[in-house]
Amino acid sequence: MNKLVCIACPAGCEMILEIKNGKVISVKNNKCPKGSTYAAEEIESPKRVITTCVKTDLSVKWLPVKTSSPVPKEKLFDFLAEISKIKISKPVKAGDKIAEKLLGFEGIDLIAGRTIEI
Ligand code: SF4
């Protein structure tokens, strides 16, 4: 028996999973179908949004950034290594796209978390 808390909404259902060969066979205690979807993704292909900072040459030395979409969990360190190579040398606005297609992944861009004028 495996337990997993669904984080798809504040209800936080404590689900009971049956897993076989890395696949979710059944889900119990979920109050809605989103729980099953979340369980399957979390067990079979977990993903995370990366939030971190990149260096700048500007008045503020670090710019908070996040990925526009969750990245495959097994590639987290590859993404962090790629992001660590980025240095910002011109003003940015919150929401600006800092980099596109990180590691070649379509739809995974890097987004500025704040505005830095100079
Ligand atoms: S299973 Fe449904 S009700 Fe329960 S936490 Fe997930 S989304 Fe919310």
Side-chain angles (χ1 to χ4, degrees):
M1 181 175 72
N2 296 280
K3 291 184 177 179
L4 180 69
V5 175
C6 179
I7 59 168
C9 91
C13 295
E14 292 184 27
M15 303 182 292
I16 311 273
L17 312 182
E18 184 182 348
I19 300 169
K20 196 169 185 181
N21 297 327
K23 300 278 183 194
V24 177
I25 305 301
S26 73
V27 179
K28 294 178 182 160
N29 283 357
N30 51 317
K31 291 180 186 158
C32 81
K34 286 183 187 174
S36 299
T37 303
Y38 171 75
E41 184 171 298
E42 184 62 14
I43 299 301
E44 297 169 18
S45 59
K47 294 177 180 159
R48 297 289 184 271
V49 169
I50 294 175
T51 56
T52 184
C53 292
V54 295
K55 291 179 190 168
T56 85
D57 287 333
L58 307 171
S59 57
V60 176
K61 297 299 172 199
W62 294 94
L63 172 70
V65 293
K66 68 173 191 172
T67 54
S68 59
S69 307
V71 309
K73 195 175 172 186
E74 75 271 12
K75 297 263 185 204
L76 269 178
F77 290 107
D78 295 333
F79 276 93
L80 286 168
E82 184 74 4
I83 292 168
S84 73
K85 297 175 191 168
I86 297 170
K87 191 169 193 179
I88 305 300
S89 55
K90 59 183 182 184
V92 294
K93 290 191 172 148
D96 280 357
K97 198 181 292 184
I98 302 304
E100 283 187 324
K101 293 186 197 171
L102 290 171
L103 294 180
F105 279 76
E106 190 70 47
I108 300 183
D109 305 323
L110 197 62
I111 308 298
R114 64 166 289 182
T115 297
I116 303 178
E117 302 285 352
I118 52 172

